[in-house]
Amino acid sequence: VTGTYDPATHLTFWGTGNGGPWMGDRRPGDNLYTSSTVALDVATGKLKGHFQYDPNDSWDWDEVSPPILVDYQRGGKTVKGLIDVARDGYLWFLERTAGAINFVEGAPYVKQNVFKSLDPKTGRPNVDPARQPGTGREAEFCPSHWGGKNWPPIAYSPKTRMIYIPANENLCGRIVGRPVSYTAGRGYTGATSTLLLAPGADYICEVLSWNVDTGQPVGTHTFPTSSNRGPLLAAGCGLGFRVGPWA
């Protein structure tokens, strides 16, 4: 997905995919720079900073959508912001500088049971091992491998100071890993995945509004009988969206 550009720092910010195969136990370590946002100098191409959302990702939570460049208020100060509504079900408030991407805060915007907490300084998630699938080890988790938000972009309105999120609520998943060998030109997931509906759920798709200055949700509109896989657009006359088919 096409990245974003900051003319003040001459940096461009791009999202990256998850590792292959899907199961993290097949590729130990954090696997930099998978499932991350990376900052690149447009003049030199050099890496100037990164933030990894899901070290050693095992849930197919690629983070190819870039964050939006929106400055926001925190503690009476203006933060030169990067805001990412991630597939892992967390809304990440970051700070962009000329030499780093800094963590500010993160919060779940849909049902999320994989992260027990985030490190308050680095944002690194503390993962519940019972929710992490592996080779020959099945796990159920929320949100699913479709993500709390998939690739369709969010919208931001400077008039309302809110972002608008096309979200997948109540959509969980089950994954079990299997041995797989790499063959050029063929799939390299090494996993069998199933979608699950959270108990008692009566809808999946919704549009969420979230105030960037308070870091708090404002409202939601649910779609009990349709999907909302299309992008959102905040224009002068309000919010528009395109209803898209399931992928």
Side-chain angles (χ1 to χ4, degrees):
V1 178
T2 305
T4 52
Y5 174 66
D6 180 10
T9 59
H10 302 290
L11 297 180
T12 181
F13 300 91
W14 290 73
T16 66
N18 55 310
W22 282 6
M23 297 300 96
D25 59 11
R26 307 283 291 184
R27 39 179 172 78
D30 285 355
N31 309 145
L32 290 175
Y33 295 93
T34 61
S35 300
S36 300
T37 291
V38 294
L40 304 171
D41 187 309
V42 297
T44 65
K46 291 184 177 180
L47 181 71
K48 288 292 188 177
H50 78 280
F51 184 83
Q52 188 174 42
Y53 304 96
D54 306 301
N56 194 239
D57 169 50
S58 296
W59 304 272
D60 184 33
W61 287 337
D62 60 83
E63 209 46 61
V64 297
S65 297
I68 60 172
L69 280 67
V70 171
D71 298 345
Y72 55 88
Q73 300 295 310
R74 283 298 183 276
K77 297 181 179 180
T78 299
V79 178
K80 302 295 288 183
L82 291 172
I83 300 175
D84 186 47
V85 182
R87 297 184 74 245
D88 60 22
Y90 262 64
L91 172 54
W92 300 87
F93 287 92
L94 309 173
E95 179 188 31
R96 68 188 193 274
T97 71
I101 299 175
N102 300 319
F103 172 73
V104 177
E105 65 186 36
Y109 63 93
V110 293
K111 188 183 303 296
Q112 219 279 10
N113 60 12
V114 176
F115 298 167
K116 293 182 175 181
S117 61
L118 300 180
D119 184 287
K121 292 185 178 181
T122 66
R124 186 183 181 93
N126 175 24
V127 171
D128 182 349
R131 302 294 183 180
Q132 183 167 13
T135 305
R137 185 177 71 249
E138 184 180 86
E140 294 185 4
F141 56 91
C142 306
S144 75
H145 55 285
W146 279 15
K149 180 192 78 64
N150 212 320
W151 296 351
I154 66 172
Y156 167 70
S157 171
K159 183 181 297 185
T160 65
R161 301 294 296 166
M162 289 193 287
I163 57 173
Y164 301 92
I165 306 167
N168 295 321
E169 178 61 291
N170 300 314
L171 191 59
C172 304
R174 179 190 300 122
I175 288 182
V176 59
R178 51 181 169 74
V180 63
S181 298
Y182 176 74
T183 302
R186 304 181 71 176
Y188 191 46
T189 61
T192 300
S193 56
T194 306
L195 293 172
L196 304 170
L197 194 63
D202 58 1
Y203 75 95
I204 293 175
C205 296
E206 65 180 345
V207 171
L208 294 169
S209 58
W210 208 286
N211 188 290
V212 299
D213 295 318
T214 65
Q216 297 296 317
V218 177
T220 183
H221 181 85
T222 63
F223 295 85
T225 61
S226 65
S227 61
N228 63 341
R229 295 278 293 224
L232 295 176
L233 174 67
C237 58
L239 179 71
F241 66 94
R242 179 182 180 277
V243 176
W246 293 106

